[in-house]
Amino acid sequence: MKANLVAKLMIGAAIAVSAAGCSTWDSMSGRQKSTVVGAGVGGLAGAAVTNGGILGTVGGAAIGGVVGDQVGKRR
């Protein structure tokens, strides 16, 4: 892997972890939590596939959010 890609993924992961740590999960339903996690994972995957492209990152986050929502609905 390219060092640039690894650096972008690490920055994205750090932002996701810090945002999750600052928010409160207590008032969120299981479905909402699944949606947030799905969007985060989808955004990271989209960024990795498109080498940090904006469209891939946003598209991955959108698709991941929808998948997470559907998975959370079944819990």
Side-chain angles (χ1 to χ4, degrees):
M1 291 178 93
K2 295 181 181 180
N4 192 19
L5 177 62
V6 173
K8 286 181 183 179
L9 288 175
M10 294 301 290
I11 290 170
I15 291 171
V17 168
S18 65
C22 293
S23 65
T24 177
W25 292 83
D26 294 338
S27 62
M28 294 176 74
S29 68
R31 188 172 182 179
Q32 290 171 331
K33 291 176 188 177
S34 295
T35 302
V36 170
V37 170
V41 170
L44 288 174
V49 169
T50 62
N51 291 326
I54 299 295
L55 187 60
T57 304
V58 172
I63 292 169
V66 171
V67 170
D69 180 61
Q70 294 303 309
V71 168
K73 182 168 51 173
R74 296 191 179 116
R75 287 187 180 177

